[in-house]
Amino acid sequence: MSDAVEVVDLRAARTALRENAPLVHCLTNTVVQTLTANALLAVGAAPAMVDAPQEAGDFAAVASAVLINVGTVHERTAEAMRLAARSAGAAGTPWVLDPVAVGPLAYRTALAGELVGLAPAVVRGNASEVMALAGAGAGGRGVDSTAGADDAGSAAAGLAARTGGVVAVSGEVDLITDGTRTVRVGGGSALLTRTTGAGCALGALVAAYVAATGDPLAGAVAAHAHVALAAERAAATAAGPGTFAAAWLDALDAVGPDDLARADVRPA
Amino acid sequence: MSDAVEVVDLRAARTALRENAPLVHCLTNTVVQTLTANALLAVGAAPAMVDAPQEAGDFAAVASAVLINVGTVHERTAEAMRLAARSAGAAGTPWVLDPVAVGPLAYRTALAGELVGLAPAVVRGNASEVMALAGAGAGGRGVDSTAGADDAGSAAAGLAARTGGVVAVSGEVDLITDGTRTVRVGGGSALLTRTTGAGCALGALVAAYVAATGDPLAGAVAAHAHVALAAERAAATAAGPGTFAAAWLDALDAVGPDDLARADVRPA
Amino acid sequence: MSDAVEVVDLRAARTALRENAPLVHCLTNTVVQTLTANALLAVGAAPAMVDAPQEAGDFAAVASAVLINVGTVHERTAEAMRLAARSAGAAGTPWVLDPVAVGPLAYRTALAGELVGLAPAVVRGNASEVMALAGAGAGGRGVDSTAGADDAGSAAAGLAARTGGVVAVSGEVDLITDGTRTVRVGGGSALLTRTTGAGCALGALVAAYVAATGDPLAGAVAAHAHVALAAERAAATAAGPGTFAAAWLDALDAVGPDDLARADVRPA
């Protein structure tokens, strides 16, 4: 625990997020836009969903951070994503890539391969997605992962070395690495996997925390810890997956610096 | 009741759905994607929303079932729907057509007419939509139906004969027919009609149950019974239409094989 | 209070909305479609989201009212918006313009400038958006407003004079003007600003009330009062921003004519 605290100051991260209220520009899939925006609002960040090619580049340059999630990508939004990623890179704005269902689907896999070359500060996905993106091959069936986070450990480290950023693999225990240091985040709830968009919203919270802390590893860890802790609290009161989603947003709001400091975060 | 049990083994259907966890590929409208995905997760299925023309055909071939809902269709998604329907047909994957607002709107009416020629396993709509699709003429005003399910009985039977599949007409009492056998499903709650996307989510559950049971009639009946039963439970605890939606998802999760076997399902 | 009652008969407006159940054609952003549809259903109106260029014009002509919200606009939906606005104008159908994030983003600002020339019955936005649309210049950062409703008072009056309609500026106290008469609506809850789409849903309720009352000023005031009152009730029971959203929909449903007549509405 003391080692984890050395790696990531969770209390400071939560405080910074509340104080900075970062504006997160989300180019994300249409299934999860609402939950993503509400999750950002709940933690104290500000969401903006702008995915027209005419606007995405300009907006990425003024946002605090950018999220690119390829969940329902198509030609227009792919173009907007390219423009946003390039603009964020040019402006020094951190951006997060969520390679939803990359692997089995050729179109988005090619796009994600192109985007990952533009140096995302963080790549966040499940084990199958990260392994596919790392070129390690994997067998996913869409948004589910058939591999655990640990299986993706070396793929994640290799990918982080390639991007110069951080790679976060969601699973029962999350694994987050910058290629050198690796941190695990435990806790959470199985109900997260039964709430559509919870993982995608996590990607947006990673972007918010990276903007607030200025540190991709600390930001990614803090976001995962925050989501896991809020899920535990929500699971304790929810009657099922429907009431869980609302309780999770309530808990995202309620988790403060002292709460976050007690999250299950440890060096790998 | 004993006749209904002969037609549809609801207990077996619910068990099969939980065991098979079918992957349902949804090409559906953007208003209801979130609720649709959450309803599928709640019953134990897996959703995937893939509606780019570059991906829809490939994905339909590997999914357990496909849902095509024309609620907010436009040029790109219409093309993806055509590709998905053809690919599903070629792969022997069952698919469901939900002809939202077909009748008063020429563009989607022509598209739905084209799609219905590609042999959907199930067509699910309200009475106005089914009558319009059957060419019987009808007066809807968008997503509402001005006719009851029973008015659409002969149109539904005729349409089923034409597609070689099943036609399900939602109403106060649902009517489901394969052109020969007809089943009614009662129960439910008026709050379902005040929750946007409940009918559209039902279409996705039909797809999931058809995949799990391998039987379009049994699958369609089980999905309607499951939705109605969960709605009754949710209505008993909800304070209004907002809390109803979350309670309905909780109830979709909670309804088990023994519960479903007691649903109000009867031969017509 | 007696003056306010002279300007707007809130009791009659609520009754008219319930009796007429207006069909509101929404061309709105994908983040808020679900909440917007559910809010319309909760108050007793009927939503329809039709945003294909092939359909938008035809549908606008038969709807009771139209909402155009540029939140996630792009080339296709911009074209649909133009067609819907022109068709509504030709048919005498009232329509509402919500200029989300207009000001900092050139593409949508040009579009909104074009649309505002087509005589919307009501323009509804925050202070930054209204000031930008009025050409007064403003500094917003996306969907947030950095100015208060009162700062936008003269811009709103000028814009109303230009459109011949009503302009509503959302803020801690809302300001609604037809260029001659100005009404303020108080109440509400800070949780509204932490619920994505609450302001956008308000735009749809304005459209519904304008259709039901036949009066843009009375309709806009009634919608703002209804939203504020429901928010106060929801805030009293919600445990956080997640449970607030569902409670707000419940309260939108529950607010009746006598409740609305007691809302905090006063002449400016």
Side-chain angles (χ1 to χ4, degrees):
Chain A
M1 202 68 161
S2 56
D3 282 324
V5 169
E6 282 171 39
V7 178
V8 181
D9 186 339
L10 294 165
R11 186 179 279 104
R14 183 74 185 103
T15 303
L17 181 59
R18 281 187 169 163
E19 286 177 358
N20 298 353
L23 174 62
V24 181
H25 176 194
C26 302
L27 299 104
T28 191
N29 74 77
T30 50
V31 187
V32 308
Q33 285 181 319
T34 311
L35 186 70
T36 300
N38 280 327
L40 285 168
L41 289 167
V43 299
M49 270 67 179
V50 173
D51 62 6
Q54 293 90 341
E55 299 183 330
D58 287 352
F59 202 72
V62 299
S64 312
V66 177
L67 167 71
I68 296 182
N69 171 310
V70 301
T72 55
V73 73
H74 53 82
E75 198 167 357
R76 167 180 59 83
T77 48
E79 184 56 18
M81 288 172 187
R82 286 184 192 101
L83 293 166
R86 286 195 202 111
S87 172
T93 305
W95 68 280
V96 173
L97 175 63
D98 192 332
V100 177
V102 159
L105 293 164
Y107 175 70
R108 70 181 63 197
T109 302
L111 174 66
E114 187 185 335
L115 291 170
V116 85
L118 298 174
V122 183
V123 172
R124 187 220 74 84
N126 65 35
S128 294
E129 293 158 352
V130 167
M131 291 166 77
L133 196 59
R141 52 164 217 173
V143 296
D144 297 329
S145 179
T146 51
D150 275 354
D151 300 328
S154 62
L159 188 58
R162 179 140 64 94
T163 62
V166 163
V167 176
V169 188
S170 300
E172 209 166 317
V173 173
D174 306 316
L175 181 153
I176 300 159
T177 183
D178 64 2
T180 306
R181 294 166 298 170
T182 299
V183 179
R184 286 183 207 283
V185 178
S189 161
L191 283 168
L192 274 180
T193 65
R194 303 191 62 205
T195 303
T196 202
C200 298
L202 168 56
L205 298 192
V206 169
Y209 266 111
V210 171
T213 61
D215 179 339
L217 185 65
V221 170
H224 283 74
H226 194 158
V227 162
L229 204 58
E232 287 170 39
R233 291 187 177 195
T237 63
T243 44
F244 174 79
W248 181 62
L249 290 172
D250 286 352
L252 284 176
D253 173 38
V255 165
D258 291 342
D259 302 313
L260 198 63
R262 289 189 292 268
D264 178 11
V265 172
R266 51 186 189 271
Chain B
M1 202 68 161
S2 57
D3 283 323
V5 168
E6 281 171 41
V7 178
V8 181
D9 187 339
L10 294 165
R11 187 179 278 105
R14 183 72 185 105
T15 302
L17 181 58
R18 281 186 170 164
E19 286 176 357
N20 298 353
L23 175 61
V24 181
H25 176 194
C26 303
L27 298 103
T28 191
N29 74 77
T30 49
V31 187
V32 308
Q33 285 181 319
T34 310
L35 187 71
T36 299
N38 280 327
L40 286 167
L41 288 167
V43 299
M49 270 68 180
V50 174
D51 60 7
Q54 293 90 338
E55 300 183 332
D58 287 352
F59 202 72
V62 300
S64 312
V66 178
L67 167 70
I68 296 181
N69 171 309
V70 300
T72 55
V73 72
H74 53 83
E75 198 165 357
R76 167 180 59 84
T77 49
E79 184 56 18
M81 289 174 187
R82 287 184 190 100
L83 293 165
R86 288 196 199 110
S87 173
T93 306
W95 67 282
V96 173
L97 175 63
D98 192 332
V100 177
V102 159
L105 293 164
Y107 175 70
R108 69 181 64 198
T109 302
L111 173 67
E114 187 185 333
L115 291 170
V116 86
L118 298 174
V122 182
V123 173
R124 186 219 76 85
N126 65 35
S128 293
E129 292 158 351
V130 167
M131 291 166 78
L133 196 59
R141 52 164 219 173
V143 296
D144 296 329
S145 181
T146 50
D150 275 354
D151 301 327
S154 63
L159 188 58
R162 179 142 64 94
T163 61
V166 163
V167 177
V169 187
S170 300
E172 209 167 315
V173 174
D174 306 316
L175 181 154
I176 300 159
T177 183
D178 64 1
T180 307
R181 294 167 298 170
T182 299
V183 179
R184 287 184 207 282
V185 177
S189 161
L191 282 169
L192 274 180
T193 65
R194 304 190 61 206
T195 304
T196 203
C200 297
L202 168 56
L205 298 192
V206 169
Y209 266 110
V210 171
T213 61
D215 179 339
L217 185 65
V221 170
H224 283 72
H226 195 158
V227 162
L229 204 57
E232 288 170 38
R233 291 187 177 195
T237 62
T243 44
F244 174 79
W248 181 63
L249 290 172
D250 285 353
L252 284 176
D253 173 39
V255 165
D258 291 342
D259 302 311
L260 198 62
R262 288 190 292 270
D264 177 10
V265 172
R266 51 188 189 271
Chain C
M1 203 67 164
S2 57
D3 283 324
V5 168
E6 280 171 40
V7 178
V8 181
D9 186 339
L10 294 165
R11 187 179 278 104
R14 183 74 185 103
T15 302
L17 181 59
R18 281 186 169 162
E19 285 176 357
N20 298 353
L23 174 61
V24 181
H25 176 194
C26 302
L27 299 104
T28 191
N29 73 76
T30 49
V31 187
V32 307
Q33 286 181 319
T34 310
L35 186 70
T36 300
N38 280 327
L40 286 167
L41 288 167
V43 299
M49 270 68 179
V50 174
D51 61 6
Q54 294 90 340
E55 300 184 330
D58 287 352
F59 201 72
V62 301
S64 311
V66 177
L67 167 70
I68 297 182
N69 171 310
V70 301
T72 55
V73 73
H74 53 82
E75 198 166 357
R76 167 180 59 82
T77 49
E79 184 56 18
M81 288 173 187
R82 287 184 191 101
L83 293 165
R86 286 196 200 110
S87 173
T93 306
W95 67 281
V96 174
L97 175 63
D98 192 332
V100 177
V102 158
L105 293 163
Y107 175 71
R108 68 181 63 198
T109 302
L111 174 67
E114 187 185 335
L115 291 169
V116 85
L118 298 174
V122 183
V123 172
R124 186 220 76 84
N126 64 36
S128 294
E129 293 158 352
V130 168
M131 291 167 78
L133 196 59
R141 53 164 219 174
V143 296
D144 296 328
S145 179
T146 50
D150 276 353
D151 301 326
S154 63
L159 188 59
R162 178 142 64 97
T163 62
V166 163
V167 176
V169 188
S170 300
E172 210 167 316
V173 173
D174 305 316
L175 180 154
I176 300 160
T177 183
D178 64 2
T180 306
R181 294 167 297 171
T182 299
V183 179
R184 287 184 206 282
V185 178
S189 160
L191 283 168
L192 275 179
T193 64
R194 303 191 62 204
T195 304
T196 202
C200 297
L202 167 57
L205 298 192
V206 169
Y209 266 109
V210 171
T213 60
D215 179 339
L217 185 66
V221 169
H224 283 73
H226 194 158
V227 162
L229 204 57
E232 287 170 38
R233 291 187 177 196
T237 63
T243 45
F244 174 79
W248 181 62
L249 290 171
D250 285 354
L252 284 176
D253 174 38
V255 165
D258 291 342
D259 302 313
L260 198 62
R262 289 190 291 269
D264 177 10
V265 172
R266 51 186 188 271

